[in-house]
């Protein structure tokens, strides 16, 4: 989710997104995205699956999150999509190629194309 929003801004030119990104463990990161996702999860609109990895050398844990629409969120998203302007639908269509990538492929793409915004762990 972090990388998709980042790519919406950088690749698709959606500058009005309210998220600012900083280099972090797996590339560009915005804490605000996690906060918004937590609000959506609490509202029953999305489901978040967390996978905890081994601790880093700094002693903290890396967490991978997988986001999906809950049934309530899916119904709401369908309604939003029907009423979206065509230019927004086009952007979402362009974003789909990134969403279909395996995580490692997406991370590699971001690391390679935006190395200054990606802090790769040793």
């Amino acid at each position: 989710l972090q990388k998709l929003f980042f790519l919406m801004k950088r690749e698709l030119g959606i500058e009005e997104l309210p998220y600012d990104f900083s280099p972090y463990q797996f590339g560009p990161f915005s804490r605000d995205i996690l906060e918004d996702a937590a609000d959506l999860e609490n509202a029953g609109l999305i489901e978040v699956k967390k996978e905890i990895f081994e601790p880093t050398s700094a002693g903290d844990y890396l967490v991978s999150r997988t986001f999906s629409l809950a049934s309530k969120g899916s119904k709401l998203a369908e309604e939003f999509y029907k009423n979206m302007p065509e230019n927004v639908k086009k952007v979402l269509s362009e974003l789909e190629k990134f969403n279909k990538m395996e995580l490692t492929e997406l991370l590699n793409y971001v690391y390679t194309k935006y190395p200054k915004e990606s802090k790769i762990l040793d």
Side-chain angles (χ1 to χ4, degrees):
L1 190 62
Q2 294 281 338
K3 304 314 170 266
L4 292 176
F5 277 110
F6 174 78
L7 291 169
M8 283 179 72
K9 283 187 99 161
R10 295 301 296 271
E11 300 265 324
L12 304 177
I14 311 299
E15 290 298 322
E16 54 274 358
L17 286 173
Y19 303 114
D20 294 316
F21 294 88
S22 301
Y24 196 60
Q25 295 169 333
F26 285 109
F29 175 81
S30 172
R31 180 158 305 284
D32 293 335
I33 291 173
L34 288 183
E35 291 171 2
D36 288 348
D39 291 343
L40 292 170
E41 183 179 26
N42 290 335
L45 298 173
I46 66 170
E47 296 172 352
V48 182
K49 293 180 184 171
K50 298 174 187 171
E51 182 181 351
I52 299 175
F53 294 97
E54 296 295 319
T56 66
S57 58
D60 56 348
Y61 288 88
L62 301 178
V63 178
S64 172
R65 292 172 177 83
T66 302
F67 301 89
S68 59
L69 286 172
S71 60
K72 180 180 173 183
S74 184
K75 290 174 187 171
L76 189 59
E78 286 176 22
E79 287 301 313
F80 277 132
Y81 188 80
K82 286 179 192 175
N83 297 312
M84 280 182 187
E86 288 304 314
N87 63 329
V88 175
K89 288 180 181 179
K90 183 177 186 247
V91 168
L92 290 176
S93 176
E94 292 174 24
L95 188 66
E96 189 174 2
K97 70 180 177 185
F98 297 115
N99 192 43
K100 287 184 176 183
M101 289 180 179
E102 292 292 327
L103 179 58
T104 54
E105 182 183 8
L106 180 62
L107 292 176
N108 186 53
Y109 179 86
V110 172
Y111 292 163
T112 303
K113 189 153 185 186
Y114 303 98
K116 291 182 180 179
E117 300 184 52
S118 299
K119 177 182 162 187
I120 300 173
L121 295 174
D122 296 327

